Every structure is written in C-alpha cells, then in structure tokens.
Amino acid sequence: MKITAIPQLYRNLKRWREILAVLRRYGLADWLSRYQSLPFRDSFKDPSGVPLSQYSSEERVRMALTDLGPTFIKLGQILAARPDIVGPQLGHELKRLRADVQPDAIEKVRETLTKELGEQYLSQFQFIDPKPLATASVGQVHRATLNDGRRVVIKVQRADIERTVRQDMEVLGGLAQLAERVEGFAAWGPCQMVSQMSTMLQRELDFGRERQNLEVFAEMLSSQSAKVVIPKPVRELCTRRVLVMDELAGEPLSKVLSESHHGGVLTVDACLDGERHQLSESIARIYLTMIFDEGLFHADPHLGNLLLLSDGRLGILDFGMVGRIDETLRESIEEMMGCIATGDQNRLTRLIRRIGDAPPTLDESLLAIDVAEFVGTYGRQHLSDFDLTGALNELSDILHRHVIKLPSQSALLLKMLISLEGTLRELGAGFDSLDIVHQFVRKSMLRRLSPRRRVRQARRIYLEAEHFFEVVPDEVLTLLQQARRGEMRLTLEHQRIGPTVNRMVLGLMASAVFLGSSLLLAMKVPPLLFPEQSVLGMKEMSIFGLVGMMMSFSVMMWLLLAINRSGHLTRSNED
C-alpha cells in the first residue's frame, strides 16, 4: 500500500474494523462449515438464530454484503450482472440482494428537498405523503400531488449516502490493492473492477442521469406507446438528488403474481388469462427492440420494475442503470447466435476470445472443448425446447472457468437477458421467446447486407484510411529522428521474475556464507569449541564457522524445498 494512502486508511479506520469484523465472522463460518465434527462449528448465527454453517457459501456472501450496508448491497447487485466474474451460482444468489434498510425520517427528506428545490418547494405541491412508497439503498420514494392535480412520485436520495459510498469505495480500493497481490484474485484485476464499480455507483447517485434516461427511452419507445409507458419526469423539479416523475397507475407484476398464488382478489386467470400471452410477447419485443434496433436497453427487467397498468399497458420503472451496445458488439452477438444455430464451434471460440479479455495463460484447447460441448448441447435443441436461461448460464460458467472477462456493457447485456428470460418464465409465457429473438436476428442480418450500411461502412473505412496515411508518415519521421539523435528507448518489463531473482540472490548469499564459514573452520578462528580432541575427532572448532555453516545449510535446504513445491526441481516437471 502506498504511503499516500496512510491518511486515507487512518480516516476510515473505524469502517475498516467494521468490514473486517463482518468478513472474519462469515469467513470463519465458511471454514468451520467444512468440519462436521467440530463442537463449536455452529457458534456463528444469523439474527434469527440459525447457524451460519447451515447456509451455502453463496448465501453467506450475500448475507455478509447485506450486513455491510447500502454500498456493499449496491456493489453486490452490480456483481450480479457479472456472472463471467463471480460465476452463475453466486451471480444468481446476489440477485436476491435487496436493501432491508430503515427509511430516512420525513424531516431528513424535507431537509434534502429544501436544499435541492429551495425554501419554497412546498408551494409546488398540494400533498406529499410522509410514508415512503418504497425504500432502496440509494434513495426512497414518496407519493405526492402537484398543484395542478398531477399525481407524481418523488425519489429522494438518502441522507449522507454520498459520504458513505465515498468512504466504502476508499476501503474497497485498499482491499483491491491487497487482492492484487494474491495470484488467484490478480487475474481478475481487482483495482480495475473497483474503479468500474465506483463509476457505476456515482452514475446511480446522480438522479439527473436517470431523468435524462427517462426522456431518452420515452422518445425511443414513442412508436410503441400503445403497449408501453415510461414515467415522464417533471424537469423543473428534478436535481442531482431529487427526481420527480409521473406516478403510473398499476400494480407491479411481482405483486400480481404473488396475489394470484395466494388466492388474492387479483388472479392471473382473472387479470392475465387472455392477456398474459400478449403481455409476455410485448415485453420480449420491447426489450429486443432496445437491443437490436436501438442499441440502448433497460438493464433490470425484473418483475418489481414492470407494472401492469389499469389499461393493460406495460409500465417500466427504475432507469438508474441502462446499457449501451455499439454496432460492432451487436453484430458479434448476432454472429454468436448464428454459430450456435449452425454448430460452428471454431468460429464461436474465436468470437468469445475477440469479445472477451482472455488471460495470457488461457488454455485454448480446453476452451475449445468446453465450447464444443456447449454447441453440442444447445445447438441441436429445437426452438420450442431451447433453454435460453440454461444456455446463458452455461456460457457465463465457461467464461468464469477460463477467467475471460467481458466488457462491462457485454456483461450487463448478458445479465439483462437472463433476467428477462426469468421474468417471461414467471409470467408463464405461452409462446416461443427464442423465435422472436431469431426474427430480430434475421432482421438485423438483412440490415447488415443493405446497400445503405455498405456505403456507411465504406465511408468509415475511407476516413480511417485517410487518417492513417496522414498520421503514419509523421510518426515514422519522428522515430527516425529520435534514432538519429540516440534518444530511442526500449523498455522491457519482466513478468513474475521477482521470486526467481530473490531465490538466486539468496542462494548466492548462502553459498558465500558457506565458503566463509569453511575458511573460519579451517583457520580455527577463535572463539573455539573442543580445545581437546572430542567425539568424532572434533578439535578446536570455530564457533562462528559452525554457526555460519548451519545457517547456510538451513537456507539451502529451504530453497530446495521451495523449488520442489513449485514443481521446477527437475526437467521432467518444467512448464
């Protein structure tokens, strides 16, 4: 850790202790759970008294993040979108993370509104419900009515959440620096991951971005207003920490399904019997339109963010996290689906390597075997029997197993597709969702072959070539001038050579001590042991010589054991 980080460490010392205490608690519980015979293995318990050892390791990770507070809950939700990093099992468990936090008191909410909207903000409203409609880790939502009678909801950022997030991100940055030193974690780039997560959290804390997203999606989906509704923000009442938008009159699909399962007034048979097929198809088409036609998509389509409005239309909430994909990535996705359909495993392997960030130690033969098995399993399934969730989870598992990191937007898209498929299954969609995917892929393939796209592609290539021929001559002349003046520098960076050099230096030092000790013994340098002849004929032995001999021999034996453990003692086990 750098010296400049010491003040930061001291400033966050209390938070460090809290985090390390929680990690130690759940880490020890995970270790004890492996030993059935230990009498104290059930000493760690959750708030309800259930021993932590009875939970799976994935459940313990989720519970630890919950105990660590809002920032870590939000980070866990972000990691749930990265099954390529955490694996599909932990990613599925992290989707259950929900912020079980106490809402801010209405006095704090009013204080925030006063700071953001001014002292006279109450003149804009007829009524503000003091009881929150919903509470999350970043903010909470209250119902309200404007002076013109318009029913709205106010999303207010939690008090001190920015300071808490900043403090926790500093602590996480320190933990990431430590993780970089552990070989198993270093391959994932912990510092880079924390930096990306920090950026995503900062975006979610800026409600101005969410307001902009609401306006963009409303315009983007305006042609489908008969099927979907996006809340309209009240622009003059929106700030970085406050978001005021229309209230959608409807019920979350999660509540509708829950009431139907428990025999409530609303039932799927009563409300959705003739509509759920149409509703499910509408959801699939809306989200696939976002992906394949617009390249911009709502990243969290779970049942709580989807409303069934009173007029039968679909309402979509929570645009704090959206994903964008460029044309190149969209084309790569289309090619991957084509490879799965045609069984072209070699092409699919190359696409995975091109899209993802593969480590230098990637075993390409094992990756090819896993991809071949994946294609063999899912490439031969009929459309009506195709398990899209299983295919996406299997693909995530392959990426995780081979330490292949996806770009953040690719991983977000993967998570969105898995969540979308789960939502459609919960609705009991009685149609072939993969058939709709294929319709969009065929439409996209035709668009790729259109003359208009070819002209645009040729223009882009021409502009890039023009820039290349303008820049390269100057760069070559600069290099030649540097070489002529003797200013050319070549920097070589050796990877993983440090331990080898350290062992070599230690071996040379041990050899030098051994030779020096031999001279001390031969020349009988005092102080001496055994002034008269003793056991084994030893006489007048130099104490310094004996000590040096024993120390050098111990170091040499330690080096031999270390080299043997690393598997590089003989030529037969070289890499």
Side-chain angles (χ1 to χ4, degrees):
M1 187 174 293
K2 297 179 181 179
I3 294 178
T4 54
I6 292 177
Q8 185 185 99
L9 176 63
Y10 179 76
R11 184 171 63 247
N12 301 323
L13 191 58
K14 179 180 178 182
R15 185 56 174 159
W16 269 99
R17 286 199 300 265
E18 294 173 355
I19 291 172
L20 292 176
V22 172
L23 295 178
R24 183 174 64 248
R25 178 170 176 248
Y26 283 93
L28 284 173
D30 184 57
W31 177 74
L32 292 173
S33 66
R34 304 171 191 173
Y35 301 95
Q36 301 291 332
S37 58
L38 290 179
F40 50 87
R41 66 185 296 268
D42 293 338
S43 55
F44 296 100
K45 298 181 180 180
D46 67 3
S48 61
V50 179
L52 295 179
S53 58
Q54 296 185 13
Y55 293 97
S56 67
S57 58
E58 290 81 10
E59 289 175 319
R60 281 190 287 270
V61 170
R62 174 180 56 79
M63 294 164 70
L65 291 174
T66 303
D67 287 356
L68 288 171
T71 306
F72 286 83
I73 291 172
K74 181 58 66 175
L75 287 173
Q77 292 170 344
I78 292 173
L79 282 174
R82 299 303 305 266
D84 57 314
I85 293 178
V86 300
Q89 290 184 338
L90 180 55
H92 179 73
E93 184 64 33
L94 292 179
K95 290 179 185 177
R96 298 176 55 196
L97 275 172
R98 293 289 181 269
D100 186 16
V101 292
Q102 285 294 112
D104 282 348
I106 189 61
E107 291 76 18
K108 288 188 176 181
V109 173
R110 288 171 179 158
E111 183 179 342
T112 302
L113 291 173
T114 301
K115 288 180 180 178
E116 295 297 314
L117 303 178
E119 295 287 345
Q120 305 300 322
Y121 79 91
L122 282 174
S123 62
Q124 304 281 343
F125 298 92
Q126 290 183 11
F127 167 75
I128 297 178
D129 191 348
K131 183 179 179 181
L133 176 64
T135 304
S137 56
V138 171
Q140 59 191 60
V141 178
H142 292 258
R143 282 194 175 100
T145 305
L146 297 179
N147 283 332
D148 59 3
R150 184 175 170 186
R151 296 173 63 89
V152 297
V153 293
I154 307 174
K155 186 175 181 180
V156 185
Q157 194 174 104
R158 297 179 64 83
D160 295 330
I161 185 65
E162 289 184 293
R163 181 184 59 81
T164 302
V165 168
R166 184 175 62 253
Q167 184 183 51
D168 285 347
M169 292 311 302
E170 288 179 356
V171 174
L172 273 172
L175 291 173
Q177 290 180 26
L178 296 176
E180 289 278 3
R181 301 175 181 272
V182 181
E183 186 175 355
F185 294 136
W188 294 108
C191 289
Q192 183 183 5
M193 284 174 54
V194 170
S195 177
Q196 291 177 353
M197 291 178 186
S198 177
T199 302
M200 294 180 72
L201 272 175
Q202 292 301 325
R203 288 175 180 172
E204 286 209 43
L205 288 173
D206 185 0
F207 289 174
R209 284 181 175 271
E210 185 169 354
R211 174 195 58 76
Q212 185 179 11
N213 290 335
L214 287 170
E215 293 173 343
V216 169
F217 276 85
E219 182 180 355
M220 187 176 78
L221 299 175
S222 58
S223 61
Q224 303 193 46
S225 58
K227 297 180 180 179
V228 61
V229 179
I230 307 297
K232 183 179 179 181
V234 184
R235 194 181 184 90
E236 60 273 16
L237 295 177
C238 294
T239 70
R240 191 177 185 279
R241 300 179 62 201
V242 174
L243 176 63
V244 181
M245 54 188 166
D246 286 340
E247 180 184 6
L248 300 185
E251 294 285 352
L253 293 185
S254 56
K255 184 177 180 181
V256 172
L257 292 177
S258 175
E259 290 179 350
S260 70
H261 292 325
H262 291 85
V265 177
L266 292 171
T267 65
V268 172
D269 288 338
C271 291
L272 300 176
D273 187 37
E275 301 175 7
R276 61 180 175 180
H277 175 95
Q278 182 180 355
L279 180 63
S280 301
E281 188 171 351
S282 295
I283 293 173
R285 289 190 180 278
I286 288 166
Y287 276 88
L288 292 174
T289 298
M290 296 179 191
I291 297 170
F292 290 104
D293 291 347
E294 305 295 341
L296 179 67
F297 58 90
H298 175 250
D300 198 11
H302 67 76
L303 292 172
N305 284 339
L306 302 177
L307 301 181
L308 179 62
L309 304 186
S310 55
D311 58 5
R313 290 185 296 173
L314 175 72
I316 304 179
L317 303 177
D318 192 0
F319 285 83
M321 187 183 296
V322 299
R324 289 176 172 84
I325 54 176
D326 56 23
E327 187 175 356
T328 302
L329 177 58
R330 189 161 63 239
E331 291 177 357
S332 298
I333 294 170
E334 295 163 5
E335 289 182 29
M336 289 179 70
M337 297 194 68
C339 291
I340 295 173
T342 58
D344 190 349
Q345 60 198 44
N346 295 326
R347 176 67 175 163
L348 182 58
T349 304
R350 289 196 297 271
L351 285 170
I352 289 174
R353 290 204 58 192
R354 188 174 76 187
I355 296 174
D357 181 13
T361 56
L362 176 68
D363 190 328
E364 296 188 20
S365 59
L366 286 179
L367 176 62
I369 291 172
D370 287 343
V371 171
E373 185 175 350
F374 173 81
V375 172
T377 302
Y378 295 99
R380 299 180 182 276
Q381 290 185 1
H382 191 269
L383 285 180
S384 59
D385 300 323
F386 191 85
D387 181 9
L388 181 58
T389 302
L392 294 173
N393 283 328
E394 178 68 21
L395 182 59
S396 302
D397 189 47
I398 292 174
L399 296 172
H400 177 68
R401 204 159 51 237
H402 293 279
V403 199
I404 299 175
K405 291 188 294 183
L406 290 176
S408 58
Q409 294 303 318
S410 303
L412 199 61
L413 175 63
L414 188 65
K415 177 255 184 186
M416 189 277 280
L417 289 172
I418 294 174
S419 181
L420 178 63
E421 177 71 7
T423 296
L424 296 178
R425 287 183 183 276
E426 285 284 334
L427 285 172
F431 71 100
D432 191 351
S433 57
L434 195 68
D435 186 47
I436 297 180
V437 174
H438 274 260
Q439 292 177 24
F440 275 90
V441 170
R442 285 195 295 269
K443 180 181 175 182
S444 299
M445 294 295 287
L446 291 174
R447 187 168 59 243
R448 288 177 63 182
L449 297 174
S450 67
R452 182 179 178 183
R453 181 185 175 275
R454 293 299 181 187
V455 171
R456 190 169 63 248
Q457 186 180 38
R459 180 176 178 274
R460 185 174 66 247
I461 293 173
Y462 168 76
L463 292 175
E464 290 176 354
E466 184 182 36
H467 176 72
F468 176 82
F469 285 114
E470 284 180 354
V471 171
V472 167
D474 291 338
E475 296 292 335
V476 172
L477 286 175
T478 302
L479 289 174
L480 290 175
Q481 290 171 0
Q482 289 178 350
R484 189 182 303 116
R485 293 193 299 263
E487 297 177 355
M488 184 75 72
R489 295 181 181 180
L490 181 63
T491 303
L492 296 176
E493 183 179 353
H494 297 280
Q495 298 288 338
R496 303 172 60 87
I497 201 172
T500 303
V501 173
N502 291 339
R503 288 178 182 176
M504 186 183 299
V505 172
L506 192 59
L508 291 173
M509 292 175 62
S511 301
V513 172
F514 183 83
L515 290 174
S517 301
S518 301
L519 289 174
L520 291 174
L521 288 172
M523 299 177 67
K524 300 180 181 179
V525 177
L528 301 174
L529 285 177
F530 311 117
E532 298 180 0
Q533 191 165 347
S534 182
V535 183
L536 300 178
M538 291 187 294
K539 183 181 180 182
E540 297 181 345
M541 306 288 291
S542 172
I543 293 178
F544 290 127
L546 282 174
V547 172
M549 188 76 72
M550 293 172 62
M551 288 177 58
S552 61
F553 183 76
S554 300
V555 171
M556 290 178 183
M557 290 302 299
W558 179 82
L559 281 173
L560 282 172
L561 291 173
I563 295 171
N564 186 48
R565 281 197 301 269
S566 67
H568 297 278
L569 184 59
T570 62
R571 295 182 62 87
S572 60
N573 52 22
E574 289 181 353
D575 286 339

